[in-house]
Amino acid sequence: TKNINNYENLITLDKIKIIAPIDSISISDYSCFKTQIKDDEIKSYSYTQQTPFLLYVEQDIEEQETVIEFTGKILMDDYPRLISRNDIEQCFRSINQMGFCNIDFDKIWNDGQVCKIDVSKDIAVEDCHKLTEYLRTHLSNNRKYQSRIISGNLILEKNVTTKALKRRLTIYDKWKELQRAENREFLSHLNNADNVIEYFKGTIRFELNLNSMEAI
């Protein structure tokens, strides 16, 4: 398991999922939550949104835990900074300001365990196609790693079936991706969308998906 406090270096993330004790959250507006009931007993309360940023909040009564997942877009105009230990508290303040729950950041920080992350790094590179083609054609072990192009993105994936051993690295033009239709609502919520778009011009994102505690 990986405690949040174990990150000694400034790792930047575009997605994070945390499991914490159930009393890490108090719900103030149950109407925003989906209630799961089984055998006349409440099993969990969950909140989900996809835009302007992904956010999932669950109070799991059965497992006695809180589950929280969100993306770097929760930082809004500060999105270029991505999620790090320096601004993760800002992310939780943003959730609390939405008004439907209150999250105890200190309890999350001290007792929460990270179970899924997208480690992300933005690099200034003018020719994304040239770089991704070079990487694709210079894999030294094509049995161990697979490469494929999906929607213009280069995906390098470890060729294993065991979840704990899986690794997937996605490399793509962040400037182009940000201007896709699915990001329009996010951009419409920013105070200065042009600045954010301009920041990512000539930028390639390297994004490593780690989807288990073992992988992290």
PDB file of all heavy atoms in Angstrom, residues 166-178:
ATOM      1  N   LYS A 166       0.472  -4.683 -14.856  1.00  0.00           N
ATOM      2  CA  LYS A 166       0.191  -3.895 -16.054  1.00  0.00           C
ATOM      3  C   LYS A 166       0.771  -2.483 -15.937  1.00  0.00           C
ATOM      4  O   LYS A 166       0.753  -1.870 -14.876  1.00  0.00           O
ATOM      5  CB  LYS A 166      -1.320  -3.798 -16.297  1.00  0.00           C
ATOM      6  CG  LYS A 166      -1.915  -5.056 -16.900  1.00  0.00           C
ATOM      7  CD  LYS A 166      -3.354  -4.830 -17.327  1.00  0.00           C
ATOM      8  CE  LYS A 166      -3.908  -6.048 -18.053  1.00  0.00           C
ATOM      9  NZ  LYS A 166      -5.276  -5.832 -18.540  1.00  0.00           N
ATOM     10  N   ARG A 167       1.288  -2.010 -17.059  1.00  0.00           N
ATOM     11  CA  ARG A 167       1.777  -0.637 -17.164  1.00  0.00           C
ATOM     12  C   ARG A 167       1.349  -0.114 -18.534  1.00  0.00           C
ATOM     13  O   ARG A 167       1.505  -0.812 -19.539  1.00  0.00           O
ATOM     14  CB  ARG A 167       3.299  -0.564 -17.056  1.00  0.00           C
ATOM     15  CG  ARG A 167       3.895  -1.226 -15.829  1.00  0.00           C
ATOM     16  CD  ARG A 167       3.636  -0.433 -14.556  1.00  0.00           C
ATOM     17  NE  ARG A 167       4.354  -1.022 -13.434  1.00  0.00           N
ATOM     18  CZ  ARG A 167       3.888  -2.009 -12.685  1.00  0.00           C
ATOM     19  NH1 ARG A 167       2.703  -2.545 -12.971  1.00  0.00           N
ATOM     20  NH2 ARG A 167       4.584  -2.485 -11.678  1.00  0.00           N
ATOM     21  N   ARG A 168       0.852   1.109 -18.570  1.00  0.00           N
ATOM     22  CA  ARG A 168       0.472   1.691 -19.862  1.00  0.00           C
ATOM     23  C   ARG A 168       0.928   3.140 -19.901  1.00  0.00           C
ATOM     24  O   ARG A 168       0.570   3.938 -19.031  1.00  0.00           O
ATOM     25  CB  ARG A 168      -1.040   1.611 -20.080  1.00  0.00           C
ATOM     26  CG  ARG A 168      -1.464   2.110 -21.472  1.00  0.00           C
ATOM     27  CD  ARG A 168      -2.953   1.979 -21.680  1.00  0.00           C
ATOM     28  NE  ARG A 168      -3.689   2.899 -20.836  1.00  0.00           N
ATOM     29  CZ  ARG A 168      -5.021   2.940 -20.767  1.00  0.00           C
ATOM     30  NH1 ARG A 168      -5.740   2.103 -21.501  1.00  0.00           N
ATOM     31  NH2 ARG A 168      -5.633   3.798 -19.975  1.00  0.00           N
ATOM     32  N   LEU A 169       1.713   3.457 -20.900  1.00  0.00           N
ATOM     33  CA  LEU A 169       2.197   4.815 -21.099  1.00  0.00           C
ATOM     34  C   LEU A 169       1.556   5.383 -22.354  1.00  0.00           C
ATOM     35  O   LEU A 169       1.674   4.807 -23.432  1.00  0.00           O
ATOM     36  CB  LEU A 169       3.722   4.821 -21.240  1.00  0.00           C
ATOM     37  CG  LEU A 169       4.380   6.183 -21.506  1.00  0.00           C
ATOM     38  CD1 LEU A 169       4.197   7.113 -20.309  1.00  0.00           C
ATOM     39  CD2 LEU A 169       5.863   6.004 -21.827  1.00  0.00           C
ATOM     40  N   THR A 170       0.868   6.512 -22.193  1.00  0.00           N
ATOM     41  CA  THR A 170       0.232   7.181 -23.325  1.00  0.00           C
ATOM     42  C   THR A 170       0.965   8.487 -23.595  1.00  0.00           C
ATOM     43  O   THR A 170       1.248   9.252 -22.668  1.00  0.00           O
ATOM     44  CB  THR A 170      -1.249   7.472 -23.038  1.00  0.00           C
ATOM     45  OG1 THR A 170      -1.914   6.267 -22.669  1.00  0.00           O
ATOM     46  CG2 THR A 170      -1.940   8.061 -24.256  1.00  0.00           C
ATOM     47  N   ILE A 171       1.284   8.725 -24.860  1.00  0.00           N
ATOM     48  CA  ILE A 171       2.018   9.926 -25.262  1.00  0.00           C
ATOM     49  C   ILE A 171       1.193  10.639 -26.323  1.00  0.00           C
ATOM     50  O   ILE A 171       0.828  10.051 -27.335  1.00  0.00           O
ATOM     51  CB  ILE A 171       3.402   9.548 -25.827  1.00  0.00           C
ATOM     52  CG1 ILE A 171       4.175   8.708 -24.784  1.00  0.00           C
ATOM     53  CG2 ILE A 171       4.196  10.788 -26.214  1.00  0.00           C
ATOM     54  CD1 ILE A 171       5.368   7.984 -25.357  1.00  0.00           C
ATOM     55  N   TYR A 172       0.876  11.928 -26.058  1.00  0.00           N
ATOM     56  CA  TYR A 172      -0.013  12.622 -26.995  1.00  0.00           C
ATOM     57  C   TYR A 172       0.190  14.130 -26.950  1.00  0.00           C
ATOM     58  O   TYR A 172       0.778  14.676 -26.006  1.00  0.00           O
ATOM     59  CB  TYR A 172      -1.471  12.274 -26.697  1.00  0.00           C
ATOM     60  CG  TYR A 172      -1.955  12.630 -25.303  1.00  0.00           C
ATOM     61  CD1 TYR A 172      -2.640  13.820 -25.062  1.00  0.00           C
ATOM     62  CD2 TYR A 172      -1.743  11.774 -24.229  1.00  0.00           C
ATOM     63  CE1 TYR A 172      -3.095  14.143 -23.795  1.00  0.00           C
ATOM     64  CE2 TYR A 172      -2.196  12.080 -22.959  1.00  0.00           C
ATOM     65  CZ  TYR A 172      -2.878  13.269 -22.749  1.00  0.00           C
ATOM     66  OH  TYR A 172      -3.316  13.586 -21.485  1.00  0.00           O
ATOM     67  N   ASP A 173      -0.304  14.783 -27.987  1.00  0.00           N
ATOM     68  CA  ASP A 173      -0.253  16.241 -28.108  1.00  0.00           C
ATOM     69  C   ASP A 173      -1.331  16.832 -27.206  1.00  0.00           C
ATOM     70  O   ASP A 173      -2.518  16.779 -27.525  1.00  0.00           O
ATOM     71  CB  ASP A 173      -0.477  16.645 -29.569  1.00  0.00           C
ATOM     72  CG  ASP A 173      -0.255  18.127 -29.815  1.00  0.00           C
ATOM     73  OD1 ASP A 173      -0.625  18.934 -28.941  1.00  0.00           O
ATOM     74  OD2 ASP A 173       0.269  18.479 -30.890  1.00  0.00           O
ATOM     75  N   LYS A 174      -0.930  17.399 -26.095  1.00  0.00           N
ATOM     76  CA  LYS A 174      -1.889  17.906 -25.112  1.00  0.00           C
ATOM     77  C   LYS A 174      -2.662  19.117 -25.646  1.00  0.00           C
ATOM     78  O   LYS A 174      -3.850  19.280 -25.336  1.00  0.00           O
ATOM     79  CB  LYS A 174      -1.167  18.268 -23.809  1.00  0.00           C
ATOM     80  CG  LYS A 174      -2.090  18.735 -22.691  1.00  0.00           C
ATOM     81  CD  LYS A 174      -3.124  17.664 -22.337  1.00  0.00           C
ATOM     82  CE  LYS A 174      -4.135  18.171 -21.329  1.00  0.00           C
ATOM     83  NZ  LYS A 174      -5.172  17.169 -21.029  1.00  0.00           N
ATOM     84  N   TRP A 175      -2.030  19.931 -26.447  1.00  0.00           N
ATOM     85  CA  TRP A 175      -2.694  21.115 -27.004  1.00  0.00           C
ATOM     86  C   TRP A 175      -3.866  20.709 -27.895  1.00  0.00           C
ATOM     87  O   TRP A 175      -4.966  21.256 -27.780  1.00  0.00           O
ATOM     88  CB  TRP A 175      -1.684  21.939 -27.798  1.00  0.00           C
ATOM     89  CG  TRP A 175      -2.232  23.198 -28.382  1.00  0.00           C
ATOM     90  CD1 TRP A 175      -2.623  24.327 -27.717  1.00  0.00           C
ATOM     91  CD2 TRP A 175      -2.444  23.470 -29.776  1.00  0.00           C
ATOM     92  NE1 TRP A 175      -3.061  25.282 -28.600  1.00  0.00           N
ATOM     93  CE2 TRP A 175      -2.955  24.781 -29.875  1.00  0.00           C
ATOM     94  CE3 TRP A 175      -2.232  22.728 -30.935  1.00  0.00           C
ATOM     95  CZ2 TRP A 175      -3.270  25.355 -31.101  1.00  0.00           C
ATOM     96  CZ3 TRP A 175      -2.545  23.306 -32.155  1.00  0.00           C
ATOM     97  CH2 TRP A 175      -3.056  24.613 -32.224  1.00  0.00           C
ATOM     98  N   LYS A 176      -3.654  19.716 -28.749  1.00  0.00           N
ATOM     99  CA  LYS A 176      -4.729  19.247 -29.615  1.00  0.00           C
ATOM    100  C   LYS A 176      -5.823  18.560 -28.802  1.00  0.00           C
ATOM    101  O   LYS A 176      -7.013  18.751 -29.045  1.00  0.00           O
ATOM    102  CB  LYS A 176      -4.181  18.287 -30.667  1.00  0.00           C
ATOM    103  CG  LYS A 176      -3.343  18.959 -31.752  1.00  0.00           C
ATOM    104  CD  LYS A 176      -2.901  17.945 -32.799  1.00  0.00           C
ATOM    105  CE  LYS A 176      -2.113  18.630 -33.909  1.00  0.00           C
ATOM    106  NZ  LYS A 176      -1.637  17.644 -34.932  1.00  0.00           N
ATOM    107  N   GLU A 177      -5.419  17.737 -27.829  1.00  0.00           N
ATOM    108  CA  GLU A 177      -6.394  17.003 -27.022  1.00  0.00           C
ATOM    109  C   GLU A 177      -7.299  17.938 -26.240  1.00  0.00           C
ATOM    110  O   GLU A 177      -8.507  17.701 -26.097  1.00  0.00           O
ATOM    111  CB  GLU A 177      -5.647  16.056 -26.062  1.00  0.00           C
ATOM    112  CG  GLU A 177      -6.520  15.123 -25.260  1.00  0.00           C
ATOM    113  CD  GLU A 177      -6.944  15.700 -23.928  1.00  0.00           C
ATOM    114  OE1 GLU A 177      -6.327  16.692 -23.472  1.00  0.00           O
ATOM    115  OE2 GLU A 177      -7.886  15.163 -23.334  1.00  0.00           O
ATOM    116  N   LEU A 178      -6.727  19.037 -25.749  1.00  0.00           N
ATOM    117  CA  LEU A 178      -7.511  19.965 -24.928  1.00  0.00           C
ATOM    118  C   LEU A 178      -8.599  20.663 -25.735  1.00  0.00           C
ATOM    119  O   LEU A 178      -9.604  21.108 -25.168  1.00  0.00           O
ATOM    120  CB  LEU A 178      -6.570  21.004 -24.305  1.00  0.00           C
ATOM    121  CG  LEU A 178      -7.126  21.848 -23.161  1.00  0.00           C
ATOM    122  CD1 LEU A 178      -7.566  20.975 -21.990  1.00  0.00           C
ATOM    123  CD2 LEU A 178      -6.102  22.875 -22.698  1.00  0.00           C
TER     124      LEU A 178
END
